[in-house]
Amino acid sequence: MSQDIIQMKGIVKNYFIGTPNELHILKGIDLTVQEGDFVSIVGASGSGKSTLMNMIGVLDRPTAGNYMLDGILTSKMSDNELSDIRNRKIGFVFQTFNLIPRSNALKNVELPMLYAGVDGKTRTKRAKELLELVGMGDRMYHQPNELSGGQKQRVAIARALSNDPPIILADEPTGALDSETGHLVMNLFHRVHDEDGKTIVLITHNPELAKETNRIITLKDGAVISDEPGLGKAVE
């Protein structure tokens, strides 16, 4: 039976606390995701999707509530401990790719392993294998400015997989891509999910992409208003 890998209870996030401009962004989110699940989080602009993504990725701390990430209570952790757990437990894929401009694809994929203290020979070997996996083996020595948007995103997915994290957190990963390229990127996520058993949380405004996941969680005004099953497979 699958274990809960993400457990959020009563997650609240406020900004400008104690001022007349105080903002209540997340209003008591309860969210559980099991190992090997493929979940999409959808909602209109301003619904709290990006803030929730920051909470799941321990990029920010909640104002109130508890978050257990792979069995670890994150609220008591120092900034350094949170940084370490991010590097080990979560692979990030962003809409804007976030590749290092003056480093080739291979070096970009190696970077998280460098931070994790992996030796150079092992880093290079694994980075090459991952670039082959995402169909970028013939572009590994290209700089980001020599790659198309879809190619950059495939490099970003390889980088997200570099430390073999149990969770992939993808924030609008196809938002900057045309529909055909976005479809290819989604197929990569399906492959990683189906073959490697990764837990994937996909933040998207695109209902067609959300349908491809196992669960569709809808946010509105900082609260979960529905949690429904998706198709769980790529849409042809």
Side-chain angles (χ1 to χ4, degrees):
M1 188 173 180
S2 296
Q3 300 291 315
D4 293 339
I5 195 166
I6 292 170
Q7 292 176 286
M8 291 184 150
K9 297 290 184 185
I11 296 294
V12 172
K13 184 61 180 180
N14 300 333
Y15 293 99
F16 311 119
I17 297 168
T19 75
N21 298 321
E22 185 167 346
L23 297 175
H24 306 278
I25 306 300
L26 299 180
K27 303 170 183 176
I29 297 284
D30 293 336
L31 175 64
T32 300
V33 177
Q34 292 189 321
E35 286 181 343
D37 209 349
F38 193 171
V39 178
S40 56
I41 298 174
V42 302
S45 179
S47 62
K49 297 192 306 296
S50 294
T51 303
L52 182 57
M53 188 277 289
N54 287 339
M55 298 298 119
I56 295 171
V58 289
L59 294 165
D60 198 0
R61 296 176 184 268
T63 306
N66 288 318
Y67 178 22
M68 296 279 288
L69 175 59
D70 203 12
I72 301 168
L73 183 63
T74 62
S75 59
K76 305 296 185 185
M77 302 181 79
S78 69
D79 289 346
N80 285 340
E81 288 171 329
L82 289 176
S83 178
D84 178 63
I85 198 173
R86 272 197 304 273
N87 204 34
R88 291 187 294 108
K89 299 288 185 183
I90 302 173
F92 293 91
V93 181
F94 298 98
Q95 177 178 342
T96 53
F97 320 125
N98 285 15
L99 300 179
I100 306 301
R102 291 187 175 87
S103 295
N104 62 30
L106 186 67
K107 294 299 182 185
N108 267 281
V109 177
E110 285 187 36
L111 192 60
M113 292 183 280
L114 176 65
Y115 291 147
V118 177
D119 70 89
K121 185 177 180 180
T122 303
R123 287 199 311 267
T124 301
K125 181 175 183 292
R126 177 158 175 78
K128 287 181 177 179
E129 290 170 350
L130 289 169
L131 286 167
E132 292 286 353
L133 173 71
V134 300
M136 290 294 291
D138 60 340
R139 296 285 190 275
M140 65 178 63
Y141 297 109
H142 285 59
Q143 306 283 339
N145 63 2
E146 299 173 311
L147 302 175
S148 69
Q151 289 171 334
K152 290 176 186 176
Q153 197 59 294
R154 283 188 277 167
V155 172
I157 292 170
R159 180 184 58 190
L161 294 168
S162 61
N163 281 330
D164 198 23
I167 301 168
I168 301 296
L169 184 55
D171 186 18
E172 298 282 6
T174 65
L177 307 174
D178 62 71
S179 58
E180 182 179 354
T181 307
H183 186 67
L184 293 174
V185 167
M186 279 300 292
N187 285 342
L188 266 179
F189 284 121
H190 284 293
R191 180 177 176 182
V192 168
H193 172 254
D194 295 341
E195 296 180 9
D196 297 335
K198 299 295 183 188
T199 304
I200 301 177
V201 179
L202 173 73
I203 312 292
T204 183
H205 69 278
N206 187 328
E208 295 303 312
L209 295 185
K211 285 179 185 176
E212 296 192 16
T213 66
N214 296 335
R215 287 168 65 197
I216 305 170
I217 297 167
T218 303
L219 293 186
K220 183 178 181 180
D221 298 329
V224 175
I225 60 168
S226 68
D227 186 344
E228 300 174 328
L231 296 175
K233 62 180 181 180
V235 177
E236 298 298 333

PDB file of all heavy atoms in Angstrom, residues 38-42 200-204 209-218:
ATOM      1  N   PHE A  38       0.158  11.040  -9.431  1.00  0.00           N
ATOM      2  CA  PHE A  38       0.358  12.095 -10.428  1.00  0.00           C
ATOM      3  C   PHE A  38      -0.819  13.050 -10.268  1.00  0.00           C
ATOM      4  O   PHE A  38      -1.941  12.756 -10.659  1.00  0.00           O
ATOM      5  CB  PHE A  38       0.404  11.485 -11.834  1.00  0.00           C
ATOM      6  CG  PHE A  38       0.900  12.415 -12.920  1.00  0.00           C
ATOM      7  CD1 PHE A  38       1.166  11.925 -14.195  1.00  0.00           C
ATOM      8  CD2 PHE A  38       1.106  13.772 -12.692  1.00  0.00           C
ATOM      9  CE1 PHE A  38       1.619  12.759 -15.209  1.00  0.00           C
ATOM     10  CE2 PHE A  38       1.566  14.621 -13.689  1.00  0.00           C
ATOM     11  CZ  PHE A  38       1.818  14.106 -14.956  1.00  0.00           C
ATOM     12  N   VAL A  39      -0.551  14.205  -9.670  1.00  0.00           N
ATOM     13  CA  VAL A  39      -1.592  15.132  -9.244  1.00  0.00           C
ATOM     14  C   VAL A  39      -1.435  16.460  -9.965  1.00  0.00           C
ATOM     15  O   VAL A  39      -0.311  16.962 -10.130  1.00  0.00           O
ATOM     16  CB  VAL A  39      -1.499  15.375  -7.719  1.00  0.00           C
ATOM     17  CG1 VAL A  39      -2.540  16.387  -7.259  1.00  0.00           C
ATOM     18  CG2 VAL A  39      -1.660  14.065  -6.959  1.00  0.00           C
ATOM     19  N   SER A  40      -2.532  17.038 -10.397  1.00  0.00           N
ATOM     20  CA  SER A  40      -2.505  18.401 -10.911  1.00  0.00           C
ATOM     21  C   SER A  40      -3.237  19.322  -9.948  1.00  0.00           C
ATOM     22  O   SER A  40      -4.234  18.924  -9.330  1.00  0.00           O
ATOM     23  CB  SER A  40      -3.125  18.487 -12.310  1.00  0.00           C
ATOM     24  OG  SER A  40      -4.439  17.972 -12.314  1.00  0.00           O
ATOM     25  N   ILE A  41      -2.724  20.523  -9.823  1.00  0.00           N
ATOM     26  CA  ILE A  41      -3.366  21.569  -9.026  1.00  0.00           C
ATOM     27  C   ILE A  41      -3.734  22.690  -9.970  1.00  0.00           C
ATOM     28  O   ILE A  41      -2.862  23.269 -10.632  1.00  0.00           O
ATOM     29  CB  ILE A  41      -2.434  22.059  -7.903  1.00  0.00           C
ATOM     30  CG1 ILE A  41      -2.116  20.903  -6.942  1.00  0.00           C
ATOM     31  CG2 ILE A  41      -3.075  23.214  -7.142  1.00  0.00           C
ATOM     32  CD1 ILE A  41      -1.098  21.243  -5.873  1.00  0.00           C
ATOM     33  N   VAL A  42      -5.030  22.983 -10.055  1.00  0.00           N
ATOM     34  CA  VAL A  42      -5.522  23.957 -11.014  1.00  0.00           C
ATOM     35  C   VAL A  42      -6.295  25.056 -10.293  1.00  0.00           C
ATOM     36  O   VAL A  42      -6.695  24.906  -9.138  1.00  0.00           O
ATOM     37  CB  VAL A  42      -6.412  23.294 -12.092  1.00  0.00           C
ATOM     38  CG1 VAL A  42      -5.647  22.210 -12.835  1.00  0.00           C
ATOM     39  CG2 VAL A  42      -7.676  22.702 -11.468  1.00  0.00           C
ATOM     40  N   ILE A 200       4.463  13.018  -8.953  1.00  0.00           N
ATOM     41  CA  ILE A 200       4.506  14.263  -9.709  1.00  0.00           C
ATOM     42  C   ILE A 200       3.345  15.163  -9.281  1.00  0.00           C
ATOM     43  O   ILE A 200       2.191  14.725  -9.238  1.00  0.00           O
ATOM     44  CB  ILE A 200       4.439  14.012 -11.228  1.00  0.00           C
ATOM     45  CG1 ILE A 200       5.614  13.116 -11.670  1.00  0.00           C
ATOM     46  CG2 ILE A 200       4.464  15.333 -12.004  1.00  0.00           C
ATOM     47  CD1 ILE A 200       5.605  12.755 -13.142  1.00  0.00           C
ATOM     48  N   VAL A 201       3.684  16.402  -8.947  1.00  0.00           N
ATOM     49  CA  VAL A 201       2.675  17.425  -8.667  1.00  0.00           C
ATOM     50  C   VAL A 201       2.823  18.496  -9.740  1.00  0.00           C
ATOM     51  O   VAL A 201       3.872  19.129  -9.861  1.00  0.00           O
ATOM     52  CB  VAL A 201       2.841  18.037  -7.266  1.00  0.00           C
ATOM     53  CG1 VAL A 201       1.774  19.106  -7.026  1.00  0.00           C
ATOM     54  CG2 VAL A 201       2.746  16.946  -6.195  1.00  0.00           C
ATOM     55  N   LEU A 202       1.772  18.665 -10.525  1.00  0.00           N
ATOM     56  CA  LEU A 202       1.782  19.567 -11.670  1.00  0.00           C
ATOM     57  C   LEU A 202       0.874  20.762 -11.387  1.00  0.00           C
ATOM     58  O   LEU A 202      -0.321  20.593 -11.159  1.00  0.00           O
ATOM     59  CB  LEU A 202       1.286  18.806 -12.910  1.00  0.00           C
ATOM     60  CG  LEU A 202       1.047  19.591 -14.191  1.00  0.00           C
ATOM     61  CD1 LEU A 202       2.368  19.998 -14.823  1.00  0.00           C
ATOM     62  CD2 LEU A 202       0.225  18.766 -15.180  1.00  0.00           C
ATOM     63  N   ILE A 203       1.461  21.953 -11.370  1.00  0.00           N
ATOM     64  CA  ILE A 203       0.686  23.179 -11.239  1.00  0.00           C
ATOM     65  C   ILE A 203       0.373  23.674 -12.650  1.00  0.00           C
ATOM     66  O   ILE A 203       1.291  23.876 -13.446  1.00  0.00           O
ATOM     67  CB  ILE A 203       1.472  24.279 -10.488  1.00  0.00           C
ATOM     68  CG1 ILE A 203       2.117  23.743  -9.205  1.00  0.00           C
ATOM     69  CG2 ILE A 203       0.577  25.486 -10.222  1.00  0.00           C
ATOM     70  CD1 ILE A 203       1.166  23.361  -8.128  1.00  0.00           C
ATOM     71  N   THR A 204      -0.908  23.841 -12.982  1.00  0.00           N
ATOM     72  CA  THR A 204      -1.243  24.245 -14.334  1.00  0.00           C
ATOM     73  C   THR A 204      -2.553  25.016 -14.365  1.00  0.00           C
ATOM     74  O   THR A 204      -3.423  24.824 -13.509  1.00  0.00           O
ATOM     75  CB  THR A 204      -1.340  23.021 -15.277  1.00  0.00           C
ATOM     76  OG1 THR A 204      -1.611  23.469 -16.613  1.00  0.00           O
ATOM     77  CG2 THR A 204      -2.432  22.051 -14.841  1.00  0.00           C
ATOM     78  N   LEU A 209      -4.305  19.566 -19.849  1.00  0.00           N
ATOM     79  CA  LEU A 209      -3.169  18.893 -19.223  1.00  0.00           C
ATOM     80  C   LEU A 209      -3.589  18.254 -17.904  1.00  0.00           C
ATOM     81  O   LEU A 209      -3.180  17.135 -17.587  1.00  0.00           O
ATOM     82  CB  LEU A 209      -2.021  19.878 -18.978  1.00  0.00           C
ATOM     83  CG  LEU A 209      -1.347  20.488 -20.201  1.00  0.00           C
ATOM     84  CD1 LEU A 209      -0.167  21.337 -19.760  1.00  0.00           C
ATOM     85  CD2 LEU A 209      -0.892  19.416 -21.177  1.00  0.00           C
ATOM     86  N   ALA A 210      -4.395  18.959 -17.139  1.00  0.00           N
ATOM     87  CA  ALA A 210      -4.836  18.438 -15.847  1.00  0.00           C
ATOM     88  C   ALA A 210      -5.574  17.107 -16.011  1.00  0.00           C
ATOM     89  O   ALA A 210      -5.443  16.211 -15.176  1.00  0.00           O
ATOM     90  CB  ALA A 210      -5.719  19.460 -15.146  1.00  0.00           C
ATOM     91  N   LYS A 211      -6.346  16.969 -17.093  1.00  0.00           N
ATOM     92  CA  LYS A 211      -7.100  15.730 -17.330  1.00  0.00           C
ATOM     93  C   LYS A 211      -6.196  14.505 -17.431  1.00  0.00           C
ATOM     94  O   LYS A 211      -6.622  13.386 -17.162  1.00  0.00           O
ATOM     95  CB  LYS A 211      -7.921  15.852 -18.614  1.00  0.00           C
ATOM     96  CG  LYS A 211      -9.158  16.718 -18.505  1.00  0.00           C
ATOM     97  CD  LYS A 211      -9.871  16.773 -19.854  1.00  0.00           C
ATOM     98  CE  LYS A 211     -11.053  17.721 -19.812  1.00  0.00           C
ATOM     99  NZ  LYS A 211     -11.698  17.837 -21.161  1.00  0.00           N
ATOM    100  N   GLU A 212      -4.927  14.744 -17.845  1.00  0.00           N
ATOM    101  CA  GLU A 212      -4.013  13.611 -18.045  1.00  0.00           C
ATOM    102  C   GLU A 212      -3.487  13.034 -16.724  1.00  0.00           C
ATOM    103  O   GLU A 212      -2.876  11.973 -16.716  1.00  0.00           O
ATOM    104  CB  GLU A 212      -2.827  14.037 -18.907  1.00  0.00           C
ATOM    105  CG  GLU A 212      -3.204  14.441 -20.318  1.00  0.00           C
ATOM    106  CD  GLU A 212      -1.987  14.567 -21.220  1.00  0.00           C
ATOM    107  OE1 GLU A 212      -0.914  14.058 -20.847  1.00  0.00           O
ATOM    108  OE2 GLU A 212      -2.119  15.178 -22.294  1.00  0.00           O
ATOM    109  N   THR A 213      -3.693  13.728 -15.619  1.00  0.00           N
ATOM    110  CA  THR A 213      -3.163  13.273 -14.334  1.00  0.00           C
ATOM    111  C   THR A 213      -4.171  12.384 -13.615  1.00  0.00           C
ATOM    112  O   THR A 213      -5.325  12.265 -14.022  1.00  0.00           O
ATOM    113  CB  THR A 213      -2.770  14.476 -13.453  1.00  0.00           C
ATOM    114  OG1 THR A 213      -3.950  15.210 -13.100  1.00  0.00           O
ATOM    115  CG2 THR A 213      -1.809  15.400 -14.182  1.00  0.00           C
ATOM    116  N   ASN A 214      -3.732  11.747 -12.537  1.00  0.00           N
ATOM    117  CA  ASN A 214      -4.606  10.842 -11.790  1.00  0.00           C
ATOM    118  C   ASN A 214      -5.640  11.586 -10.947  1.00  0.00           C
ATOM    119  O   ASN A 214      -6.743  11.084 -10.726  1.00  0.00           O
ATOM    120  CB  ASN A 214      -3.778   9.949 -10.856  1.00  0.00           C
ATOM    121  CG  ASN A 214      -2.837   9.033 -11.604  1.00  0.00           C
ATOM    122  OD1 ASN A 214      -3.078   8.702 -12.763  1.00  0.00           O
ATOM    123  ND2 ASN A 214      -1.762   8.636 -10.963  1.00  0.00           N
ATOM    124  N   ARG A 215      -5.241  12.753 -10.433  1.00  0.00           N
ATOM    125  CA  ARG A 215      -6.122  13.558  -9.583  1.00  0.00           C
ATOM    126  C   ARG A 215      -6.057  15.006 -10.016  1.00  0.00           C
ATOM    127  O   ARG A 215      -4.984  15.499 -10.364  1.00  0.00           O
ATOM    128  CB  ARG A 215      -5.702  13.481  -8.109  1.00  0.00           C
ATOM    129  CG  ARG A 215      -5.988  12.194  -7.410  1.00  0.00           C
ATOM    130  CD  ARG A 215      -5.261  12.170  -6.070  1.00  0.00           C
ATOM    131  NE  ARG A 215      -5.737  13.183  -5.136  1.00  0.00           N
ATOM    132  CZ  ARG A 215      -5.044  13.562  -4.047  1.00  0.00           C
ATOM    133  NH1 ARG A 215      -3.865  13.042  -3.770  1.00  0.00           N
ATOM    134  NH2 ARG A 215      -5.556  14.483  -3.229  1.00  0.00           N
ATOM    135  N   ILE A 216      -7.186  15.687  -9.954  1.00  0.00           N
ATOM    136  CA  ILE A 216      -7.259  17.106 -10.281  1.00  0.00           C
ATOM    137  C   ILE A 216      -7.773  17.835  -9.043  1.00  0.00           C
ATOM    138  O   ILE A 216      -8.936  17.678  -8.648  1.00  0.00           O
ATOM    139  CB  ILE A 216      -8.192  17.363 -11.472  1.00  0.00           C
ATOM    140  CG1 ILE A 216      -7.774  16.518 -12.686  1.00  0.00           C
ATOM    141  CG2 ILE A 216      -8.200  18.844 -11.830  1.00  0.00           C
ATOM    142  CD1 ILE A 216      -8.783  16.529 -13.822  1.00  0.00           C
ATOM    143  N   ILE A 217      -6.896  18.624  -8.435  1.00  0.00           N
ATOM    144  CA  ILE A 217      -7.246  19.390  -7.237  1.00  0.00           C
ATOM    145  C   ILE A 217      -7.450  20.840  -7.656  1.00  0.00           C
ATOM    146  O   ILE A 217      -6.560  21.451  -8.252  1.00  0.00           O
ATOM    147  CB  ILE A 217      -6.140  19.280  -6.178  1.00  0.00           C
ATOM    148  CG1 ILE A 217      -6.004  17.820  -5.723  1.00  0.00           C
ATOM    149  CG2 ILE A 217      -6.415  20.196  -4.982  1.00  0.00           C
ATOM    150  CD1 ILE A 217      -4.763  17.526  -4.928  1.00  0.00           C
ATOM    151  N   THR A 218      -8.622  21.370  -7.380  1.00  0.00           N
ATOM    152  CA  THR A 218      -8.952  22.726  -7.806  1.00  0.00           C
ATOM    153  C   THR A 218      -8.947  23.674  -6.616  1.00  0.00           C
ATOM    154  O   THR A 218      -9.558  23.394  -5.576  1.00  0.00           O
ATOM    155  CB  THR A 218     -10.336  22.759  -8.483  1.00  0.00           C
ATOM    156  OG1 THR A 218     -10.341  21.836  -9.586  1.00  0.00           O
ATOM    157  CG2 THR A 218     -10.646  24.156  -9.008  1.00  0.00           C
TER     158      THR A 218
END
